């Protein structure tokens, strides 16, 4: 499998960062970083990671099933994750998720037909004091009201969505 | 960024650089007492460093509150094996968002704290395990590590001491269980984040089968200032046996939720009313979850005159845990909070042992039904009994972390559960018993 | 030894060596602490939480399967708190368990049923829906029903730790956690079925047994597997004379609970519809069924005629028939037919080994030694394929006792994964051994197992090498098939009598060997008992009268026969067999096939028909004669064998006078999924042929030493 030069550089650094004979340590990071580029953990990626880390594909499979951020099917280009855990729940996180689900027409872990947006109800993401919070891919957005949510979605759709966390 | 305004009541020790321009840069750090402690530590014996930590009464900031100096003293010397220093930045306890700020605003403080640990056990390798959702922090911490290498604070022959130390970040990929230290090590080694059988504890057999110091991010971040100013100085900031300050994460129904650095023992009601500007919309306080979602809930009246430290909360059979307080007002539906809490643990149970795997799932199902109006009176006792059947019987603390708050909700707010029943009489029918 | 630890369980004062786990210490005293995940011999899990007990002065219940006993410890295994914990855990387990016990294969022998019966609650408190996942088929043999699975991980551990195959893992997490196979939706493995047998519930079931019978409808007959030479005990589940399953759940026999795919599942040749059930006699060029009386009379008449005219007989015995049958066959040949032309397909040069070891004591390894030796060396065998139990035994020794294992082989082997693997081109093994000399000499003792490439002079060279190490060395000559060793020991050889005495000691001349018999143009009679020599070499004597004892007509040899006697399989008769290490074990009649007879009976009936007196002719009597007459078998403890144990033979310690003929040593080269001619008749075995389907197959694609490359390479050095 070929990856971007940046990702290859990251892998090279990763594999060197563990003690000798411990390349298995790179399995989880490699899967997550590669998933960001490939879009999902494909069978091809499983085999590639197994080969590079010197483990069996079963050992990779076991890991994928365990970690909630690793997924075998592609999600949207923008993966919208709404936290509904207790701190966010206290300030409308559940209502925000329902709003998102209704307005996007998506159930949990579903993607729009154009593949632009996917939605997931997630567990605490570490933004409790600035709840309710969402993540779009890896960007945090704090104190998100339904109105603010709609503006963010609009920005995703019209391409004006920036990289900066709010 | 801080994300919330500081409070004048704060005692800024580990967050002292948070508001400085370019606070994450090595130049800012160096200009503000950065990398002073490690130089001091290099002239100290391991015993002296550990003694200083013991004097500081620093206790683990991840949740269990184990004395840090004692933990470091358990690492065996001269085993012939390499040793490792691992930072637990897998911050995932609901209600907690402090390690994020420490890494975002002052990564060098963390690096220095880990260096002191590494020097203490002559370790040459360290890893900062950062939860996968905190990708932007991995970039920030990686940049800080690169700066430290450039300036000679990481790498070979540090300060001419002949001691080498390499530090790396390692990403998680979505698993609360990896906050459990042995599960974190499994994850670091490329496996499912399932906890290990203990003993041996990580101090003796930790990362890569070797002796390991493994601490929470905030714990490491507290080390430089202790070495700089002395353990006694740090201890005296807090209450006896509960040394220093800690980052307290307040969320929920207060006017100014946020992360604040406060001395140990700071009263909970002052925290709510003075630091956080009181309850929002003038509502009355109903309950406080005092130490992340694993901590059993406190009723408002229990919070009166309650100092926020490990021992005071333990007396009330709850805990300061990870330092996350969720403040809930009079309008809060406790059943909904109990349901959301158990949903979390059911989602995060690794599945390794039976009581946790099946117990969290069953509780989730009962509470879902109860919340939807299908509850009946016997369910309340059943919930309590199931939580009791999990408590103390699971492989790791996650089972307890799920059982304790559940028991807390139904014992402290049994009235609310009973009130739900009155509502449900008119709604959904109660399902039949299933033969099992 | 250190003083034992004194402690108390349920009021009983007990003691045990330091380090003993509480669960085992209690068991010794007859106190059962229930557990699912704890399993003797594999790693500790502490996952099922069934074994929680109360230990005084500790606040929480303690896990008995990981807790070593401590001085003064006071334990309660039946307190109200413990009872509540067990009940609670079982209740948790049942919430998602389907309770399809009436149709579950495990019903009646299910550990979950037993536990709930003993420790569980009487009534349900569960009002929710159960999780459901459809059952999956992972191979022709292995089916997995996730809802029944209690996640004790025994299967994962026996496959990974026990077999070293690691084909099973854990997928998902939390309540959705389940066992997953190594190839996504299917298994690529040894298909040994250890995972199925070790499963405490009906989560893993076998394609050969599922939905066929209830456990209590079967009789359970312990006998010896009839495939390779390792001699694994297998317990046949027999219903109305048909074999329903084979396992070794009682962990009796040399193999503990180990069985390979052949031992567990390749019994189905026995029920193959092509089994011969009536004797056949060729009339007008065609083999036609006749009565036993006619067939026996026909053969007896022919034998008598040929004997009377001084004609030439050739007798070829079997690698699968019992010691008693082999013994009686050579006796019949030598005494009744008056010929020394008797041989069998030789798969290892046992006679040369015995001769080379002349004068040495304790130089032959018994099966049990593989588990206790400090170090072992495998020369020229893909042990995991050709001798799966011996491979398991060495691995268990490494797992449990840290034994060092060295493998000098032409291709990759499993031992590489935990021992020292050296790749040597065939013919250059001794150069490779020289490279290991200093390491081996530093071992306290060594057990050498060698394959068929080491024969004749090479065996003497190997023994000389062993001598030169200056440490105690034991040897195993790796013969193939279930009773190759017995055929050799019982004198199914042209120049050796039972016990490796030269025929001249009985005043006889050496006869023709197997190849000579087949190529003798003047051969009058060829009698083949349970073998298929014509698969390899045609019969030169076009007019020879050929008699064959066989289970199937479709073998090359049976098709050429003039008379075919329908023979019983090893699972249908009593007797003894001798395994690759020389351990004697008992065959016990389990299955029945109408119309067949044992080879022993056929030989005896022919003798009677010919009015010859063979003396003893029942399995018991013949075994007694062997114990009286055959050197090496004279000291066999009858009780051990009779009760299903293994007893090591002690062959003569002295020079063996014989014609070595190493070119006659031909290894079977069987993989896990082949079993010579017999394997052709097992539909199951043929349905699962998969990776690794060849000797020296390397799933990891490590560098392979090409033949002729002249290289000797150490691939793993641990």
């Amino acid at each position: 499998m070929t990856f971007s030069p940046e990702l290859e550089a990251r892998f090279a650094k990763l594999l060197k960062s563990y003690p000798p004979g411990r390349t298995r340590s790179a399995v989880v990071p490699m899967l997550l970083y590669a998933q960001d580029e490939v879009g999902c953990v494909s069978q091809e990626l499983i085999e590639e990671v197994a080969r590079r880390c010197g483990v069996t594909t079963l050992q990779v499979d076991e890991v994928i099933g365990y970690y909630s951020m690793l997924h075998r099917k592609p999600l949207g280009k923008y993966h919208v994750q709404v936290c509904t855990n207790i701190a966010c729940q206290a300030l409308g996180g559940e209502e925000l998720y329902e709003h998102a689900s209704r307005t996007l027409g998506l159930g949990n872990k579903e993607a729009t037909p154009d593949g632009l947006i996917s939605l997931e109800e997630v567990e605490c993401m570490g933004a409790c004091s600035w709840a309710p919070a969402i993540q779009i891919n890896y960007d945090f957005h704090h104190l998100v009201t339904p109105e603010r949510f709609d503006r963010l979605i609009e920005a995703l759709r019209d391409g004006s969505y920036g990289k900066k966390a709010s | 960024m801080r994300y919330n305004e500081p409070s004048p009541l704060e005692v800024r020790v580990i967050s002292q650089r948070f508001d400085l321009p370019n606070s994450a840069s090595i130049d800012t750090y160096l200009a503000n007492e950065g990398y002073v402690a490690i130089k001091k530590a290099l002239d100290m014996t391991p015993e002296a460093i550990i003694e200083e930590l013991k004097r500081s009464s620093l206790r683990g900031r991840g949740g269990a509150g184990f004395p840090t100096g004692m933990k470091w003293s358990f690492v065996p010397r001269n085993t012939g094996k390499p040793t490792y220093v691992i930072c637990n930045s897998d911050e995932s306890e609901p209600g907690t968002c402090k390690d994020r700020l420490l890494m975002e605003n002052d990564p060098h403080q963390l690096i220095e704290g880990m260096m002191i640990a590494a020097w203490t056990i002559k370790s040459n390798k360290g890893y900062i395990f950062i939860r996968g959702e905190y990708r932007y922090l991995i970039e920030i911490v990686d940049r800080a590590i690169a700066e430290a290498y450039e300036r000679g604070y990481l790498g070979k022959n540090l300060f001419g001491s002949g001691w080498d130390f390499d530090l790396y970040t390692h990403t998680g990929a979505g698993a609360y269980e990896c906050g459990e230290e042995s599960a974190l090590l499994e994850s670091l080694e490329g496996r499912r984040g399932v906890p290990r059988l203990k003993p041996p504890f990580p101090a003796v057999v930790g990362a890569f089968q070797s002796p390991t110091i493994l601490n929470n991010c905030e714990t490491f971040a507290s080390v430089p200032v202790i070495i700089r100013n002395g353990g006694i100085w740090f201890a005296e900031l807090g209450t006896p046996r509960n040394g220093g300050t800690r980052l307290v994460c307040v969320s929920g129904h207060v006017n100014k939720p946020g992360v604040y650095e406060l001395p140990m023992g700071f009263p909970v009601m002052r925290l709510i009313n003075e630091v956080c500007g009181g309850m929002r919309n003038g509502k009355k306080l109903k309950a406080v979850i005092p130490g992340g979602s694993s901590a059993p809930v406190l009723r408002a009246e229990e919070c009166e005159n309650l100092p926020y430290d490990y021992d005071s909360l333990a007396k009330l059979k709850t805990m300061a845990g990870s330092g996350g307080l969720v403040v809930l007002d009079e309008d809060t539906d406790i059943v909904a909070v109990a349901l959301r809490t158990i949903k979390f643990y059911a989602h995060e149970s690794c599945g390794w042992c039976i009581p946790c795997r099946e117990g969290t799932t069953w509780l989730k199902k009962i509470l879902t039904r109860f919340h939807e109006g299908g509850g009946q009176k016997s369910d309340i006792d059943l919930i309590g009994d199931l939580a009791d059947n999990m408590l103390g019987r699971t492989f790791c603390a996650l089972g307890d972390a799920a059982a304790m708050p559940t028991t807390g909700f139904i014992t402290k707010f049994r009235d609310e559960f009973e009130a739900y029943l009155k509502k449900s009489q008119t709604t959904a029918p109660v399902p039949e018993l299933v033969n099992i | 030894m250190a003083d034992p630890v004194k402690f108390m369980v349920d009021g009983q004062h007990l003691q045990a060596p330091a380090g003993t786990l509480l669960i085992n210490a209690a068991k010794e005293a007859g106190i059962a602490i229930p557990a699912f995940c704890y399993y003797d011999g594999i790693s500790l899990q502490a996952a099922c939480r069934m074994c929680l007990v109360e230990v005084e002065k500790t606040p929480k219940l303690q896990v008995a399967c990981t807790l070593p006993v401590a001085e003064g410890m006071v334990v309660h295994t039946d307190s109200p708190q413990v009872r509540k914990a067990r009940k609670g855990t079982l209740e948790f387990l049942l919430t998602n368990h389907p309770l399809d016990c009436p149709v579950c294969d495990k019903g009646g022998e299910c550990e979950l049923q037993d536990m709930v019966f003993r420790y569980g609650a009487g009534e349900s408190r569960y009002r929710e829906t159960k999780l459901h996942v459809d059952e999956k088929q992972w191979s022709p043999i292995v089916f997995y029903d996730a809802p029944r699975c209690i996640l004790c991980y025994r299967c994962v551990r026996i496959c990974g730790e026990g077999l070293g195959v690691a084909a099973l893992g854990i997928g998902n997490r939390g309540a959705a956690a389940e066992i997953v196979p190594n190839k996504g939706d299917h298994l690529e493995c040894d298909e040994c079925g250890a995972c199925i047998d070790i499963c405490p519930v009906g989560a893993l079931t076998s394609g050969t047994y599922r939905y066929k019978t209830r456990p209590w409808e079967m009789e359970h007959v312990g006998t010896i597997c009839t495939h390779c030479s390792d001699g694994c005990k297998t317990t046949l589940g027999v219903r109305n004379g048909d074999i329903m399953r084979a396992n070794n759940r009682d962990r009796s026999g040399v193999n503990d609970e180990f069985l390979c795919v052949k031992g567990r599942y390749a019994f189905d040749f026995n029920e193959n519809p092509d089994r011969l059930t009536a004797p056949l006699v060729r009339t007008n060029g065609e083999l036609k069924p006749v009565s036993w009386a006619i067939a026996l009379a026909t053969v007896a008449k022919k034998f008598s005629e040929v004997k009377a005219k001084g004609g030439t007989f050739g007798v070829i015995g079997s690698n699968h028939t019992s010691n008693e049958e082999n013994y009686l066959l050579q006796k019949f040949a030598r005494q009744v037919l008056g010929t020394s032309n008797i041989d069998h397909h030789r798969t290892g040069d046992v006679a040369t080994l015995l001769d080379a070891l002349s004068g040495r004591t304790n130089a032959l390894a018994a099966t049990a030694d593989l588990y206790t030796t400090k170090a072992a060396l495998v020369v020229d065998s893909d042990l995991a394929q050709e001798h799966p139990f011996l491979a398991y035994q060495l691995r268990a020794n490494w797992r449990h006792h840290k034994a060092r294992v060295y493998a000098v082989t032409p291709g990759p082997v499993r031992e590489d994964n935990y021992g020292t693997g050296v790749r040597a081109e065939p013919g250059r093994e001794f150069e490779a051994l020289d490279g290991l000399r200093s390491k081996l000499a530093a071992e306290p003792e060594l057990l050498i197992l060698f394959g068929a490439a080491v024969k004749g002079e090479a065996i003497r060279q190997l023994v000389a090498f062993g001598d030169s190490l200056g440490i105690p060395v034991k040897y195993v000559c790796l013969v193939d098939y279930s009773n190759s060793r017995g055929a050799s020991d019982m004198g199914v050889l042209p120049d050796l009598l039972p016990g490796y005495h030269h025929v001249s000691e009985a005043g006889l001349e050496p006869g023709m060997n197997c190849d000579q018999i087949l190529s003798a143009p003047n051969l009058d009679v060829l009698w083949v008992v349970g073998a298929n020599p014509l698969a390899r070499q045609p019969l030169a004597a076009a007019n020879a009268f050929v008699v064959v004892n066989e289970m199937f007509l479709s073998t090359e040899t049976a098709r050429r026969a003039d008379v075919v006697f329908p023979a019983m399989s090893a699972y249908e008769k009593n007797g003894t067999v001798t395994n690759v290490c020389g351990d004697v074990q008992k065959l016990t009649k389990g299955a029945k096939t109408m119309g067949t007879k044992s080879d022993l009976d056929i030989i005896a009936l022919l003798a009677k028909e010919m009015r010859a007196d063979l003396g003893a002719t029942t399995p018991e009597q013949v075994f007694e004669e062997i114990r009286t007459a055959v050197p090496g078998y004279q000291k066999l403890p009858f009780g051990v064998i009779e009760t299903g144990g293994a007893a090591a033979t002690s062959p003569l310690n002295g020079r063996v006078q014989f014609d070595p003929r190493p070119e006659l040593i031909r290894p079977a080269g069987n993989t896990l999924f082949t079993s010579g001619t017999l394997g052709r008749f097992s539909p199951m075995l043929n349905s699962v042929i998969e990776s690794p389907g060849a000797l020296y197959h390397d799933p990891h694609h490590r560098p392979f030493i090409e033949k002729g490359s002249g290289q000797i390479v150490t691939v793993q050095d641990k």
Side-chain angles (χ1 to χ4, degrees), chain C residues 516-590:
Chain C
Q516 290 165 336
I517 291 169
L518 294 178
S519 51
N522 59 342
L523 192 75
D524 293 301
V525 166
L526 173 67
W527 185 17
V528 179
V529 177
N532 187 19
L534 299 190
R536 185 177 48 78
Q537 188 181 340
L539 181 63
N543 296 321
F545 184 78
V546 178
V547 180
V548 177
N549 296 16
E550 244 309 342
M551 290 187 278
F552 301 99
L553 183 56
S554 61
T555 74
E556 288 79 352
T557 308
R559 283 202 303 265
R560 167 62 184 81
D562 294 287
V563 177
V564 183
F565 290 123
M568 283 179 172
S569 77
Y571 297 141
E572 295 168 331
K573 58 197 178 192
N574 294 326
T576 64
V577 286
T578 307
N579 83 350
V580 60
C581 298
D583 286 352
V584 180
Q585 300 177 92
K586 188 168 178 274
L587 290 177
T588 305
K589 181 182 175 79

Side-chain angles (χ1 to χ4, degrees), chain B residues 131-212:
Chain B
R131 68 180 295 190
E133 292 85 346
Y134 286 178
R135 172 64 58 81
Y136 81 107
L137 292 176
I138 290 177
E139 312 298 337
I140 290 172
V141 175
D142 275 343
R143 208 175 307 131
I145 289 173
E147 283 179 335
Y149 272 102
E150 279 164 24
R151 305 292 181 93
Y153 290 103
L154 285 173
K156 300 260 175 270
N157 189 22
L158 297 174
F159 315 107
S161 65
W163 165 62
D164 308 335
F165 185 57
D166 290 309
L167 187 61
Y168 309 92
T169 55
H170 178 99
T171 183
Y176 169 73
E177 180 62 14
C178 290
E180 199 279 347
E181 57 183 9
S182 65
L184 181 147
L185 293 173
E186 284 291 290
S187 187
L188 175 69
E189 294 182 19
R191 292 186 283 266
R192 295 162 63 83
V194 170
R196 294 176 179 173
L197 206 58
K198 285 171 274 192
F201 290 92
V204 182
V205 183
F208 311 113
Q209 296 293 301
S210 301
T212 299

Side-chain angles (χ1 to χ4, degrees), chain A residues 47-67:
Chain A
E47 281 159 25
E48 185 70 17
V49 169
R51 193 178 61 76
R52 290 190 185 212
C53 297
V55 299
T56 64
T57 54
L58 174 63
Q59 287 166 331
V60 179
D61 264 333
E62 287 185 276
V63 160
I64 298 162
Y66 185 84
Y67 294 97

Side-chain angles (χ1 to χ4, degrees), chain B residues 25 69 169 195 208 225 235 288 302 378 384 394:
Chain B
S25 83
T169 55
F208 311 113
V225 73
V288 173
E302 292 178 288
S378 62
T394 54

Side-chain angles (χ1 to χ4, degrees), chain C residues 451-464:
Chain C
V454 182
K455 54 189 178 182
E457 278 312 303
I459 293 182
R460 298 180 197 281
Q461 205 181 337
L462 186 66
V463 171

Side-chain angles (χ1 to χ4, degrees), chain C residues 490-501:
Chain C
M490 291 304 126
V492 184
L493 289 164
D495 49 356
L496 290 172
L497 297 169
Y500 301 95
H501 285 283

